[in-house]
């Protein structure tokens, strides 16, 4: 990877770069290349972060920090115990005394729910349940994203479903993260990133 070529190409497609944007690109590129992803898959990962972080390329917290959502709301039972759902099914709970955190979206992509923090923490050997803010550490956030997208841990869909030797489907790859929300916009970004990578990865 020739980073000088990469960033020169980036500027021609997307404009100026801040130092934080440079750092974010470098962190994501390292994680994606280390994972052995193809150029189209790396392009899609970058396009996803570009969209999810509002171009900052930095791990962020969900706007509103889960307010109004089940994973971002404490409830209180008849005995005065504060509790929250562990997943979207709503039939398992954890208490405030066990873990005094709400597991709202954090990272390059929005990792949500207690169960997902627990699973990714176990895979990476990081205590995300005890310290959920680690999901915003750039290195950890990149690993969470790459593992989640390659294994299909976010929605059941994975990069390998859309990126194969004879297949590149930038449009429907959005289902890896969030249905078809902003799918066309992200696909357009991915096509630009692919051209950037083709020049830089020589």
């Amino acid at each position: 990877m020739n980073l000088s070529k990469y960033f020169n190409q980036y500027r021609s497609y997307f404009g100026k770069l801040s130092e934080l944007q440079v750092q974010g690109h470098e962190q994501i590129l390292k994680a994606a290349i280390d994972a052995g992803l193809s150029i189209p898959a790396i392009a899609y990962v970058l396009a996803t972060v570009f969209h999810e972080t509002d171009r900052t390329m930095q791990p962020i917290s969900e706007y509103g920090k889960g307010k109004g959502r089940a994973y971002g709301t404490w409830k209180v039972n008849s005995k005065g115990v504060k509790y929250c759902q562990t997943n979207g099914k709503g039939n398992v709970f954890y208490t405030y005394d066990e873990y005094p955190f709400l597991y709202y979206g954090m990272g390059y992509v929005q990792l949500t729910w207690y169960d997902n923090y627990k699973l990714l923490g176990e895979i990476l050997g990081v205590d995300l349940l005890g310290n959920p803010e680690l999901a915003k550490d750039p290195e950890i956030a990149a690993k969470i994203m790459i593992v989640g997208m390659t294994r299909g841990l976010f929605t059941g869909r994975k990069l390998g479903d859309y990126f194969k030797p004879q297949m590149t489907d930038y449009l429907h790859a959005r289902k890896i993260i969030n249905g078809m929300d902003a799918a066309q916009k992200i696909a357009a970004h991915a096509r630009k990133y692919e051209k950037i990578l083709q020049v830089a990865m020589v």
Side-chain angles (χ1 to χ4, degrees):
M1 164 64 73
N2 186 316
L3 288 175
S4 178
K5 286 185 177 180
Y6 178 88
F7 289 118
N8 284 337
Q9 288 293 310
Y10 176 94
R11 292 183 184 95
S12 71
Y13 285 101
F14 294 111
K16 295 180 180 179
L17 278 155
S18 70
E19 184 58 35
L20 285 176
Q21 285 175 309
V22 169
Q23 292 173 8
H25 277 95
E26 290 177 345
Q27 191 72 67
I28 296 158
L29 283 166
K30 182 182 185 305
I33 292 169
D34 286 350
L37 299 186
S38 66
I39 285 178
I42 296 173
Y44 195 76
V45 167
L46 289 163
T48 295
V49 178
F50 188 86
H51 173 76
E52 294 286 339
T53 68
D54 195 20
R55 298 188 176 216
T56 66
M57 307 307 284
Q58 290 293 305
I60 61 173
S61 294
E62 174 185 354
Y63 297 134
K65 297 185 175 182
K67 184 178 180 180
R69 298 181 180 275
Y71 54 73
T73 305
W74 290 111
K75 297 182 180 180
V76 181
N77 67 17
S78 60
K79 296 181 180 180
V81 176
K82 290 174 67 174
Y83 68 95
C84 185
Q85 294 177 208
T86 63
N87 57 51
K89 297 177 182 178
N91 58 353
V92 182
F93 307 91
Y94 69 96
T95 69
Y96 181 89
D97 289 340
E98 291 172 322
Y99 291 98
F101 308 105
L102 290 169
Y103 299 97
Y104 53 82
M106 283 188 273
Y108 285 120
V109 293
Q110 301 295 284
L111 182 66
T112 56
W113 296 108
Y114 170 103
D115 281 357
N116 291 331
Y117 275 79
K118 182 175 186 292
L119 175 60
L120 269 300
E122 290 173 349
I123 290 172
L124 299 179
V126 177
D127 184 15
L128 292 178
L129 284 182
N131 190 358
E133 288 286 327
L134 287 174
K136 291 197 296 181
D137 174 274
E139 182 177 358
I140 294 172
K143 290 179 179 178
I144 288 171
M145 175 178 60
I146 297 298
V147 169
M149 293 181 77
T150 55
R151 299 191 189 184
L153 300 180
F154 299 135
T155 66
R157 305 293 179 90
K158 58 186 183 296
L159 287 168
D161 295 335
Y162 304 97
F163 302 103
K164 303 175 183 179
Q166 303 301 320
M167 176 183 178
T168 295
D169 186 352
Y170 286 132
L171 182 63
H172 295 96
R174 182 58 177 163
K175 294 179 182 179
I176 299 168
I177 300 295
N178 189 12
M180 291 298 286
D181 170 65
Q184 292 188 2
K185 181 187 296 185
I186 297 167
H189 296 327
R191 294 184 189 101
K192 293 177 182 178
Y193 270 115
E194 181 178 1
K195 293 176 181 178
I196 293 167
L197 289 164
Q198 286 173 340
V199 172
M201 294 185 73
V202 293

